[in-house]
Amino acid sequence: MVRWEPGTRERLQAAAMDLYTSRGYERTTAADIAQAVGLTERTFFRHFADKREVLFGGQELLEKALLDGVAAAAPDASPFETVRSALTALAPHFSDERRPFSRQRQAIVEENPALRERELLKAAGLATSMTAALRTRGVPEVTARLAAQSGVTVFGVAFGVWVAEGEERLFQDIQREVWNELVALAADEA
Amino acid sequence: MVRWEPGTRERLQAAAMDLYTSRGYERTTAADIAQAVGLTERTFFRHFADKREVLFGGQELLEKALLDGVAAAAPDASPFETVRSALTALAPHFSDERRPFSRQRQAIVEENPALRERELLKAAGLATSMTAALRTRGVPEVTARLAAQSGVTVFGVAFGVWVAEGEERLFQDIQREVWNELVALAADEA
């Protein structure tokens, strides 16, 4: 019989983050993580496919939130309005409660080139999914790519501000400000 | 005495591209490329650090063009105007003469996940350099990141259109149209 204690995944994740920070991502194994919380390597692999998934496991949730946000936009919403709706749907994933985890994660990813490449690939994946969702709403290809990519840019810049040491504003407020700034910068050119 | 025939680099590059296309990037070695044009592996390595550099060797030139373009903008140019100047400086690198090479290269990169990650990292590097250049002009961090990233978005979307099969418009014209479209999309939101 397999024991599935509530909170096991969270304990493994917290231990992994601490080891990635103190010892370095490369020098930490799945066995080290499991051992740190008194579990077996096998238990680790029941919760995570590999040690990278501890950092990137939330990808599907973010993608789902973005696509739900696109779907929630009014049928006659402009491409940028639709993307804004998608970004709004992302915000609950970046609560103040989550900020310490996100901060720690960011420091780990930034320090490791392979993880950084993975992060870029993930962002590119979000842009591709959002482009496809806009296309199904009848938005032309080039417009869809520009709007989706701009959304990912705003999200990325807002995220960078939100995880900075000492930052206390809410993610949704930062993201709204960054969005408004992009719109103002571009409008200034029109 | 080292023979340095004019055009050796170009011959190696052309042979590499053909092998990457016909045999696949992973299954092609530096020795294969050299042999295809009757040269030694050692000669290949006098021209390219490795087989990946055949595809990514132009990075510094693009970065230099972008930074020259930033420097060429009027001192009182807005952040978006400055980025537009940078993009304009990129255009001569994407001449019609170069399009067949770019098309072939694009197909190779798209097919290989590792090369695709490398391409994303390269684009991120261009955005980082342009952000730094805007910062030295006194542009605030968030504004600089938004403007630089928007420039890279426009460049990427324009490049994708330009290399598409059957596309005949000039790169500079496509890029200008894509830029105007981004500005119009955002202005619509303001």
Side-chain angles (χ1 to χ4, degrees):
Chain A
M1 213 180 99
V2 172
R3 279 188 315 156
W4 191 284
E5 283 184 51
T8 300
R9 186 183 165 93
E10 288 68 26
R11 283 165 58 217
L12 283 165
Q13 188 172 47
M17 299 298 284
D18 286 342
L19 284 167
Y20 295 168
T21 302
S22 60
R23 186 181 298 184
Y25 174 79
E26 290 294 356
R27 281 187 300 279
T28 302
T29 67
D32 295 334
I33 298 165
Q35 199 182 14
V37 287
L39 296 168
T40 63
E41 193 176 352
R42 224 180 117 195
T43 305
F44 176 88
F45 288 117
R46 274 208 297 277
H47 290 275
F48 297 101
D50 53 36
K51 67 175 183 169
R52 200 172 64 173
E53 207 206 317
V54 176
L55 299 167
F56 293 97
Q59 167 81 4
E60 307 76 32
L61 289 175
L62 291 190
E63 184 167 336
K64 190 183 174 307
L66 274 179
L67 298 182
D68 287 350
V70 168
D76 62 345
S78 75
F80 257 49
E81 278 166 1
T82 306
V83 167
R84 194 178 46 178
S85 170
L87 293 186
T88 302
L90 271 188
H93 289 272
F94 301 94
S95 64
D96 266 6
E97 210 173 43
R98 193 181 167 80
R99 183 144 40 180
F101 169 82
S102 293
R103 228 165 230 163
Q104 194 178 7
R105 179 186 176 283
Q106 183 72 358
I108 295 161
V109 169
E110 270 175 10
E111 203 186 70
N112 185 305
L115 295 177
R116 202 168 126 55
E117 287 198 16
R118 175 78 195 170
E119 187 88 323
L120 289 170
L121 204 63
K122 187 181 123 176
L126 293 178
T128 302
S129 300
M130 201 152 40
T131 300
L134 288 165
R135 295 286 289 122
T136 65
R137 292 171 67 97
V139 176
E141 176 72 23
V142 164
T143 308
R145 291 193 61 192
L146 284 173
Q149 193 60 59
S150 296
V152 171
T153 292
V154 167
F155 165 63
V157 171
F159 182 82
V161 171
W162 181 68
V163 294
E165 217 48 65
E167 178 59 56
E168 294 186 349
R169 285 172 297 165
L170 297 174
F171 178 80
Q172 67 218 55
D173 294 340
I174 296 170
Q175 190 174 245
R176 192 181 310 114
E177 272 177 43
V178 173
W179 174 270
N180 289 340
E181 168 134 15
L182 175 63
V183 166
L185 280 169
D188 196 42
E189 265 276 297
Chain B
M1 213 179 99
V2 173
R3 277 189 316 155
W4 191 284
E5 281 185 53
T8 300
R9 185 182 165 92
E10 288 68 27
R11 282 164 59 216
L12 283 165
Q13 187 171 48
M17 300 297 285
D18 286 343
L19 283 167
Y20 295 167
T21 302
S22 61
R23 184 182 300 185
Y25 174 77
E26 290 294 355
R27 281 188 300 280
T28 301
T29 67
D32 296 336
I33 298 166
Q35 198 182 16
V37 286
L39 295 168
T40 63
E41 194 177 351
R42 221 180 119 194
T43 304
F44 176 89
F45 287 117
R46 274 207 298 276
H47 290 274
F48 297 100
D50 54 38
K51 68 175 183 170
R52 200 172 64 173
E53 207 204 318
V54 176
L55 299 168
F56 292 96
Q59 167 82 4
E60 306 77 32
L61 289 176
L62 291 190
E63 185 168 336
K64 190 183 175 306
L66 274 179
L67 298 183
D68 286 350
V70 168
D76 62 345
S78 74
F80 257 49
E81 278 166 1
T82 306
V83 168
R84 193 177 48 179
S85 170
L87 293 185
T88 302
L90 271 187
H93 289 272
F94 301 94
S95 64
D96 266 7
E97 210 171 40
R98 192 181 168 80
R99 183 145 39 183
F101 168 82
S102 293
R103 229 165 229 164
Q104 194 178 5
R105 179 185 175 286
Q106 184 73 358
I108 295 161
V109 169
E110 270 174 12
E111 201 186 72
N112 185 305
L115 295 177
R116 202 167 125 57
E117 287 198 16
R118 175 79 195 169
E119 187 88 324
L120 289 170
L121 204 62
K122 187 179 121 174
L126 292 178
T128 302
S129 300
M130 201 151 40
T131 300
L134 288 166
R135 295 287 288 122
T136 65
R137 292 170 67 98
V139 177
E141 177 73 23
V142 164
T143 309
R145 290 193 62 190
L146 284 172
Q149 193 60 60
S150 296
V152 171
T153 292
V154 166
F155 166 63
V157 170
F159 182 83
V161 170
W162 181 66
V163 294
E165 216 48 65
E167 179 59 57
E168 294 186 348
R169 287 172 297 164
L170 297 174
F171 178 79
Q172 66 219 58
D173 294 340
I174 296 170
Q175 189 174 246
R176 194 181 310 113
E177 273 177 42
V178 172
W179 175 269
N180 290 340
E181 168 133 16
L182 175 64
V183 167
L185 280 168
D188 197 40
E189 266 275 298

